[in-house]
Amino acid sequence: RTDMAKWKKVYDSSEPLAMLREPDEHPQSVSELGFFQMLLVLRCIRPDRVLPAILAYVADQIGEKYVMPPPLDLAGSYADSSNIAPLIFILS
């Protein structure tokens, strides 16, 4: 019964991956899973939280620099542009 209550807490959490990784908070059934396997579980129960979890996984496994966007070098970009290769910015 307590396992179901823990699953509900994970489902309702704004940070479900953190709860799955926390030994005191996660359901017993995921206690032996690795980080990647927890991502798969997360995809099943909270697909909306998969992208931030993948970023956390990549940062954890190979480093923070692989998830941080490079700074924009506007002067360098302007120097590389021309009248036949203009700069186009997409704001999202």
Side-chain angles (χ1 to χ4, degrees):
R1 186 82 184 154
T2 59
D3 217 33
M4 287 300 287
K6 287 185 177 184
W7 276 113
K8 180 158 178 33
K9 283 173 122 178
V10 169
Y11 180 80
D12 292 337
S13 173
S14 61
E15 294 292 331
L17 182 64
M19 290 193 76
L20 284 174
R21 296 193 72 199
E22 183 65 38
D24 298 333
E25 297 291 326
H26 68 68
Q28 183 64 31
S29 54
V30 298
S31 62
E32 295 183 17
L33 298 181
F35 196 169
F36 186 77
Q37 292 165 323
M38 287 185 186
L39 287 177
L40 300 176
V41 170
L42 184 66
R43 185 178 183 276
C44 294
I45 60 172
R46 289 291 303 271
D48 61 311
R49 302 303 300 163
V50 170
L51 184 59
I54 290 173
L55 293 175
Y57 177 77
V58 170
D60 183 67
Q61 296 297 308
I62 60 174
E64 189 77 28
K65 72 176 187 173
Y66 293 99
V67 296
M68 298 300 294
L72 175 64
D73 179 17
L74 191 56
S77 296
Y78 183 75
D80 289 341
S81 69
S82 69
N83 62 343
I84 58 172
L87 291 175
I88 298 175
F89 291 96
I90 299 174
L91 304 176
S92 60

